Each structure stands twice: as C-alpha cells, then as structure tokens.
Amino acid sequence: FERLNQPVTNFVARLPFRLEAKLLVAVLGAVGLLVLLGGAGLALLAENGRRTEALIESQQRADSYRELEHDAHSLLITVSSALWMPGAMTDPMTTKIGHLQERLANLRPLSNDEAARIEEMRHEYQGFIDLVKRELGLLSKGDIDLAGALQIEQVVPQAAKIEALTDQLVEAADARMMAAIDATHEVYRTSRNGLIVFIAVAALFGIYFAHTISAFV
C-alpha cells in the first residue's frame, strides 16, 4: 500500500504550499466526505418519506370510499324504515342525505383517470339522492304505496349500482396502496445497498486520505 501510495505522497509533499494549507485541504476533504454521506442518508429518508405519504394518501382514499358506501347503505336502511314509520324517519333521512352530499363534495381525485371515475360516481350518487328525495316527498304526502314501489323499482337498483362503482374505486385504491408498499420496499432495499456501498467506498477513501496525509507530513 505504501509503495502504491508513494507517488501521491511525493507529489503532495512537493506542492509549493505551506503544511498548514495542505492540512486544511485534507480536513476539508474529510468534512466533504461526511457531508456527502449525510446527503446520501437524507436523500434516502426523503424518498422513503415521499413514498410513505403516498401510501397514507392511498389508505385514506380507500377509507373515504368505504365511508361513502357506508353512508349510502345507512341512508337506504333509513329509507326502508321510513315505509313503516314515515313521520319518525323524515329528519334522519334529511340528515343522512346532507352527510352523503358533504362526503361527495370532499372527494378530490389523485389522477385524471380517477377524476373521471369520481365524476361518474358523483353523478350516480346524485341520482340516488334525487330518488331518495322523491321517496321522501311521497312519504310526506302519505303515498306509502307509491313510495314503496319507487324504492323497489328504482332506489334499490340505483343503490346496487353506486355500490358497484364504489367497490371498483376501493379496489383501485387498494391496488395503488399495494403497489406503493412493494415500491417502497424495493426502493428501501436499493437505497440501503447503495448507502452501504457508499459508506464502504468513503471509508476506504478516508483511510487512503489519512495515510497520504501522515506520509507526506
């Protein structure tokens, strides 16, 4: 190692600079190695943080779809109960309709493809809400038979349709979440291996650097 390093140490020793200046450059080089090592670690943490945020966002989106589906089911149950207790269920139906509309308004797409699907789902959910309001109006007038027929012929099929659309969005969100998990694991393994190699190279270079300094001193 000394024979291989001899030309370098001789070159450094012959440079027309004071010893203090050479040592300062050596110290700055060592500091530069530490800065590079810290930068590599921060880049790894930043990438993992970004992917973790994407994973959390996908999970929250899937939960939002499930909550929306739950509200629609709850509204359908309340509508069915209103056929037997019209007066007692009017206020709960109105409240549940408001909650459902608020959840629909708060949905924000993550991509252009999802934007089209959310817009379609909003349209179908609005159709479901309009049918429920029609049934609520019939119940308010005391037309129980017409309200029951409307529920069987239109409200229930529309509820099944929006459930199918919501399930598709939930499945898409779950698929994105699983893909994000796999990508996060892969990036972590790649970054970890790269960081280990970088540390090993930096350590070897640091040893070489220290030997060079001691030799020319």
Side-chain angles (χ1 to χ4, degrees), residues 8-88:
V8 178
T9 56
N10 291 338
F11 172 75
V12 174
R14 287 195 300 268
L15 290 175
F17 300 106
R18 297 179 59 184
L19 179 61
E20 291 84 352
K22 296 177 182 180
L23 290 176
L24 177 61
V25 172
V27 171
L28 291 177
V31 173
L33 283 176
L34 293 176
V35 170
L36 287 176
L37 184 60
L42 288 176
L44 173 61
L45 291 175
E47 178 64 18
N48 286 336
R50 186 184 66 80
R51 292 190 174 275
T52 300
E53 289 176 357
L55 180 62
I56 293 173
E57 192 173 42
S58 296
Q59 178 63 53
Q60 291 175 341
R61 178 50 54 90
D63 291 341
S64 297
Y65 293 147
R66 292 189 181 96
E67 290 171 355
L68 188 65
E69 192 173 30
H70 174 268
D71 285 352
H73 279 299
S74 179
L75 179 57
L76 183 60
I77 292 172
T78 305
V79 169
S80 300
S81 301
L83 293 174
W84 305 97
M85 298 176 292

Side-chain angles (χ1 to χ4, degrees), residues 117-134:
R117 302 176 96 180
I118 287 179
E119 191 60 33
E120 179 186 5
M121 187 179 68
R122 280 177 175 160
H123 176 73
E124 297 298 338
Y125 266 88
Q126 190 57 51
F128 173 72
I129 291 173
D130 291 341
L131 289 172
V132 170
K133 287 181 177 180
R134 282 178 55 192

